[in-house]
Amino acid sequence: MTPLVWTTQFGDVTVGLARPLFLVAFPLAVALVWALVFQGASGTAGTRSRRLLFASRLVVVFLLVVAAMGPYTVMDRQTDGDPQVTLLVDESDSMEPSSAIASRLAEDIEDEGVPVTVSTVARGDESPLGEALAANLRPDGTVVMVSDGQVTRGRSLASAATLAGDLNATVSAVPPQPTDTEQYVTINGPAKTSVGVENAFLAQVDGVSPDGPTTVEMVIEIDGEEVSRESFQSPGRVEFTQTFQTTGVHRITARIDTDDEFDRNNVFYKTVRVVEPPRVLYVSREDYPLRAYLSELYEVDNADRVPSDLSRYHAVVLQDMDVGDVGEVDTLQRFVIDGGGLLVVGGRNSFENGGYDGSSLASMLPVTTGEGASQTTNLVFAIDVSGSAESGMRVQKSVALDALEQLGDENQVGIVGFNYLAYEVAPLRPIGQNRESTADLIRRLESGGATDIAVGLRGAAQQLGDRQGTIILISDGHDRFEDAASVANQLGSDGVRVITIGTCPSPNERTLRAIARASGGNYLRADETNRLRILFGGANRQYAGDGLTIVNQNDFITAGVELTSNPGSVNDVAIRRGANFLVAADDGTPAVASWRYGLGRVATITSYGSDGSLDGLLARPDSLLLTKSTNYVIGDPERKATGVTDVRDTRVGSAVTVVYRGESRPEETENITFSAVSPGVYEATVVPTDQGYRDVLDTELAVNYQDEYGGFGTSTALQAAVADTGGRLYDSGDAAEIARSARDNAAGVKPVRDEWAVYFVLVAFLVYLGEVLLRRVQVYRGRTQSEGGLI
């Protein structure tokens, strides 16, 4: 009860007074009526008549006061609602290869008796579909998007779908059916490399066609010379490698020959900046083959001890070194803290056999020496139970149960389910004695509602509280990754990493990888949960593999790496908290690990052969692991250079930052003005307007077509938004079904408020009228006199 409103509950009915303060008028009205009836009374009316009159007037006053207080009731009732359809029409260029159906569809829906509001939400080369969807939502409404769902700027569809869930609104879609062929080409690969290093590139063709797969011819040119010409069916891909022998910017161009709607996306431009091989110091007391392997890729100096001056080098590689033989460890530590790289390769004389434990060298490494004792780890499963996961809920549960089975008894495990809200399913508790009861709670999960992965991560973090630990996110990933990745990044800063596991037939791996990467965790496919045993198996669920196993394929070092060899031995090390566990030996011991130390990067390779060398890791395809591990610790090969310009490739109309490192500010050129951002570092912003290659100072950048022309056909984000809100994917002839759905969404059991003031006033009038009529009847019958009474 408050001074402004009063309510109480009677079963399913809420009774309230909108203006309860009017109650104070009742005693005043009682006093006034009493004074009028009894004060200074005269005439022939008796006491009984005066009391009856007072009682009737009191009832009238009471009813009027109650009416003034605004009585009402609220109860749930079945209502028809107000069915309407909002038709959001996408007229952007990515819809050009499809037929226009919006106008006819709107007419057909209105013919079914449901009013339609049509809004054009995208035109030309921009598609802010998420923003448009959010702006057109209304409680219990139905929004139908005539769109391919290809968002090019602004809010994502997943974010708008979350808002729709909060409003109980339904998002459906009429995806485009292609009537014309449209293909586009892209190139992926490194943007910077060194002379003599082999680089892998991938050229892809995708698009839509009304007649199924289309044959296209792709031509790939490097620095103007044709290196590949292939014909294949779209979608398709061409993988190729290139080793650059000269420094400078090299151009890679891919063109496709196809008769389609747009020409601008039939060519893709890419630049690769090639620099002199970085200088590496190799330190070892033995003559191992790794020295010769590194010399083929980098400028390598050999030493048997770390010298006092490392300023010439980008990285230092130690192989099979006893800590007492390393040399200037303090110099090495300062070198790494200031941004240098360190790669430590194991062997028979290093790590547990080399006195690393407790040394300054050991403090820099992502692993600790000696047998890793089982430790209690806090783990929270965040399981997606939203509507988009409904069709694969059986798989979701199976994956969660399988992941649970990998965990050792000493771990503390909690369960959180989430859609657009987070729900605690099981508190954080020891899994050993609670394994079966926790599994039973997972089996009972049910799906429904919109998806908000960020909410799920926050709910899992809340269960962890102030404890460090790991969140295991089990989801199809169909949500706005920016929000979730931002939460994951904060969790990583707080010492909590997120391991994501993708489920359903087509998980959004891009989103799940981004979330994992933001926290320092890794992404696993549904059939890779056995890798959790490597990380959290403990004493009672130890990992038993067959050779080396990549634990985290998200990392720069392991991405694209294939391991076929097994050197057979591994140093006795355990992963440090906060380090990246990348490759495991056959007993689960960390074979490759990495982390950041100060401004620098450190990696360890602890697997070795019977002769102390790296054995099969030096041969293809395994040798890529060594190359990428060395490149990781080197970082930017131009880090020590001055007078250089760095800029990434971009798209037409998209701003890009140009960074110049040198002793003085560059002169203004082509209306590009540089500003100092730190000593020796200057930046400028460029917004290209034309496709092709563009010179900027001493470098070049590639400018490609806008995002609008790099996606055709129904996007997975649109499909997920429809599933999350309980909508449907319709055909252009489904107007009757759309109208029926709008009626069903508007109708339903809803709280209805009834006002009762007018009825109290009516009853007061009837009481008054009845009392007056009764007294008149008494006069006519001679039972009283009007002259002597109160009438």
Side-chain angles (χ1 to χ4, degrees):
M1 184 175 179
T2 71
L4 299 178
V5 66
W6 174 89
T7 61
T8 188
Q9 196 77 24
F10 293 99
D12 295 333
V13 180
T14 299
V15 178
L17 296 174
R19 299 173 294 276
L21 285 177
F22 275 95
L23 185 62
V24 300
F26 183 67
L28 298 176
V30 170
L32 179 61
V33 172
W34 182 86
L36 291 174
V37 175
F38 292 104
Q39 188 69 29
S42 61
T44 60
T47 301
R48 180 172 176 273
S49 296
R50 293 182 184 276
R51 288 176 177 173
L52 290 174
L53 180 63
F54 176 72
S56 68
R57 294 297 189 267
L58 195 61
V59 170
V60 172
V61 168
F62 174 75
L63 292 171
L64 292 177
V65 169
V66 171
M69 289 192 292
Y72 65 89
T73 58
V74 178
M75 62 184 301
D76 292 338
R77 290 181 187 163
Q78 181 71 35
T79 64
D80 291 333
D82 183 21
Q84 294 183 28
V85 172
T86 300
L87 206 62
L88 304 184
V89 182
D90 181 355
E91 294 185 358
S92 64
D93 286 349
S94 66
M95 294 286 289
E96 281 296 315
S98 308
S99 58
I101 61 170
S103 177
R104 179 170 53 83
L105 180 61
E107 293 176 359
D108 291 345
I109 295 173
E110 290 189 331
D111 288 343
E112 297 292 330
V114 176
V116 178
T117 300
V118 179
S119 297
T120 300
V121 296
R123 294 182 186 275
D125 58 15
E126 288 193 348
S127 299
L129 302 177
E131 300 284 0
L133 176 57
N136 284 277
L137 293 172
R138 66 182 184 86
D140 305 311
T142 297
V143 175
V144 178
M145 302 187 69
V146 182
S147 172
D148 55 9
Q150 303 287 350
V151 178
T152 61
R153 70 172 177 86
R155 183 197 292 255
S156 71
L157 288 176
S159 176
T162 299
L163 177 60
D166 294 340
L167 297 173
N168 195 35
T170 301
V171 179
S172 294
V174 182
Q177 298 299 320
T179 56
D180 299 308
T181 298
E182 180 56 42
Q183 309 292 328
Y184 62 96
V185 61
T186 57
I187 305 175
N188 291 296
K192 185 178 291 186
T193 187
S194 301
V195 170
V197 175
E198 185 179 64
N199 303 276
F201 296 92
L202 174 65
Q204 292 179 285
V205 178
D206 208 340
V208 294
S209 174
D211 303 318
T214 302
T215 300
V216 299
E217 182 181 62
M218 177 190 287
V219 177
I220 298 173
E221 297 177 352
I222 298 180
D223 294 330
E225 294 186 8
E226 183 179 311
V227 298
S228 174
R229 179 183 293 266
E230 292 189 35
S231 295
F232 52 86
Q233 286 192 326
S234 173
R237 51 196 288 169
V238 173
E239 298 180 19
F240 61 99
T241 61
Q242 178 69 20
T243 301
F244 299 99
Q245 302 298 341
T246 59
T247 60
V249 177
H250 293 263
R251 299 176 173 183
I252 302 178
T253 306
R255 289 186 174 86
I256 56 175
D257 184 11
T258 179
D259 183 16
D260 60 5
E261 186 75 19
F262 300 107
D263 293 332
R264 70 193 74 184
N265 56 5
N266 292 343
V267 58
F268 196 91
Y269 308 97
K270 180 172 179 57
T271 61
V272 181
R273 185 174 179 87
V274 181
V275 300
E276 290 289 351
R279 187 169 292 275
V280 174
L281 178 66
Y282 176 83
V283 181
S284 179
R285 291 295 181 97
E286 303 288 340
D287 185 17
Y288 288 120
L290 177 60
R291 176 188 303 177
Y293 177 83
L294 294 175
S295 297
E296 295 177 1
L297 304 174
Y298 314 103
E299 294 291 334
V300 177
D301 291 343
N302 302 317
D304 57 6
R305 293 175 64 86
V306 173
S308 58
D309 182 10
L310 296 173
S311 59
R312 303 174 59 201
Y313 303 106
H314 287 79
V316 175
V317 178
L318 304 180
Q319 184 171 12
D320 198 23
M321 292 291 292
D322 185 290
V323 71
D325 297 331
V326 170
E328 298 291 338
V329 175
D330 290 343
T331 299
L332 180 61
Q333 190 172 36
R334 287 194 299 272
F335 169 75
V336 176
I337 290 174
D338 290 340
L342 173 62
L343 174 62
V344 179
V345 181
R348 296 169 295 189
N349 303 305
S350 58
F351 291 99
E352 77 280 9
N353 302 318
Y356 284 24
D357 193 19
S359 68
S360 297
L361 177 61
S363 67
M364 293 186 280
L365 305 182
V367 295
T368 59
T369 58
E371 183 177 357
S374 297
Q375 299 179 355
T376 297
T377 303
N378 300 309
L379 299 163
V380 177
F381 283 68
I383 303 175
D384 185 351
V385 296
S386 66
S388 68
E390 183 173 3
S391 60
M393 199 63 203
R394 183 177 298 177
V395 177
Q396 301 267 102
K397 295 179 183 179
S398 176
V399 169
L401 292 170
D402 188 57
L404 184 70
E405 181 62 26
Q406 311 301 321
L407 309 181
D409 288 345
E410 61 271 21
N411 294 299
Q412 301 268 346
V413 178
I415 307 292
V416 170
F418 72 91
N419 41 37
Y420 62 94
L421 299 173
Y423 316 89
E424 183 177 84
V425 178
L428 195 65
R429 56 186 180 175
I431 192 58
Q433 62 267 37
N434 297 297
R435 189 180 299 274
E436 187 51 43
S437 62
T438 302
D440 185 58
L441 290 171
I442 292 175
R443 295 186 189 100
R444 297 183 184 183
L445 291 173
E446 296 182 357
S447 63
T451 308
D452 193 332
I453 294 177
V455 166
L457 293 177
R458 291 191 188 100
Q462 185 175 357
Q463 193 174 75
L464 281 172
D466 295 331
R467 297 170 287 239
Q468 288 191 329
T470 298
I471 296 172
I472 300 176
L473 173 67
I474 301 175
S475 173
D476 57 16
H478 292 301
D479 186 21
R480 177 182 174 89
F481 80 88
E482 291 90 347
D483 295 340
S486 176
V487 175
N489 182 65
Q490 183 59 51
L491 290 172
S493 301
D494 296 337
V496 176
R497 63 175 170 165
V498 180
I499 295 176
T500 58
I501 302 177
T503 60
C504 88
S506 56
N508 189 335
E509 293 192 349
R510 175 173 174 266
T511 293
L512 295 173
R513 290 183 189 277
I515 293 170
R517 189 181 302 113
S519 71
N522 54 293
Y523 167 72
L524 302 177
R525 295 184 176 89
D527 58 355
E528 295 175 333
T529 55
N530 64 319
R531 297 181 185 179
L532 294 174
R533 193 182 295 263
I534 298 174
L535 302 172
F536 311 111
N540 67 311
R541 278 173 164 73
Q542 293 182 343
Y543 177 77
D546 182 17
L548 299 178
T549 301
I550 296 177
V551 179
N552 182 1
Q553 294 177 319
N554 270 351
D555 195 84
F556 169 82
I557 292 176
T558 51
V561 169
E562 179 185 357
L563 296 178
T564 61
S565 66
N566 182 17
S569 300
V570 64
N571 288 112
D572 193 3
V573 298
I575 197 76
R576 281 188 190 274
R577 186 181 297 276
N580 302 315
F581 191 160
L582 303 178
V583 179
D586 51 13
D587 63 351
T589 302
V592 181
S594 68
W595 73 349
R596 299 297 296 265
Y597 186 79
L599 298 177
R601 306 178 182 192
V602 182
T604 56
I605 300 175
T606 55
S607 183
Y608 60 95
S610 58
D611 60 351
S613 72
L614 291 175
D615 196 44
L617 290 176
L618 289 165
R620 292 172 179 259
D622 303 65
S623 59
L624 183 60
L625 177 71
L626 302 181
T627 303
K628 299 191 75 173
S629 297
T630 309
N631 287 340
Y632 168 78
V633 299
I634 289 172
D636 185 356
E638 289 189 302
R639 185 177 68 250
K640 294 179 176 292
T642 60
V644 298
T645 309
D646 191 21
V647 61
R648 60 178 175 82
D649 293 344
T650 188
R651 294 181 181 271
V652 171
S654 296
V656 64
T657 300
V658 183
V659 180
Y660 176 80
R661 291 194 299 270
E663 295 180 355
S664 60
R665 185 199 313 269
E667 294 182 1
E668 181 176 330
T669 175
E670 295 184 8
N671 297 321
I672 302 175
T673 303
F674 286 84
S675 301
V677 294
S678 62
V681 180
Y682 305 88
E683 291 186 358
T685 300
V686 176
V687 183
T689 57
D690 299 309
Q691 286 181 240
Y693 296 103
R694 175 173 176 176
D695 294 329
V696 178
L697 295 182
D698 65 338
T699 190
E700 286 184 275
L701 76 153
V703 182
N704 287 294
Y705 53 82
Q706 297 97 320
D707 286 330
E708 182 67 32
Y709 308 100
F712 296 87
T714 307
S715 70
T716 57
L718 179 62
Q719 296 172 356
V722 169
D724 284 348
T725 59
R728 282 182 54 189
L729 293 175
Y730 293 105
D731 291 329
S732 58
D734 290 340
E737 287 78 2
I738 295 173
R740 185 182 305 112
S741 175
R743 293 190 188 95
D744 292 342
N745 292 335
V749 177
K750 301 177 183 178
V752 178
R753 173 166 168 158
D754 294 312
E755 304 287 347
W756 295 95
V758 65
Y759 299 102
F760 279 88
V761 172
L762 179 61
V763 173
F765 173 75
L766 293 176
V767 170
Y768 175 79
L769 181 62
E771 182 261 335
V772 170
L773 291 176
L774 178 62
R775 293 170 62 82
R776 287 294 180 184
V777 169
Q778 289 178 331
V779 170
Y780 292 148
R781 292 182 176 180
R783 296 182 180 179
T784 185
Q785 300 180 25
S786 60
E787 295 85 352
L790 294 171
I791 297 178

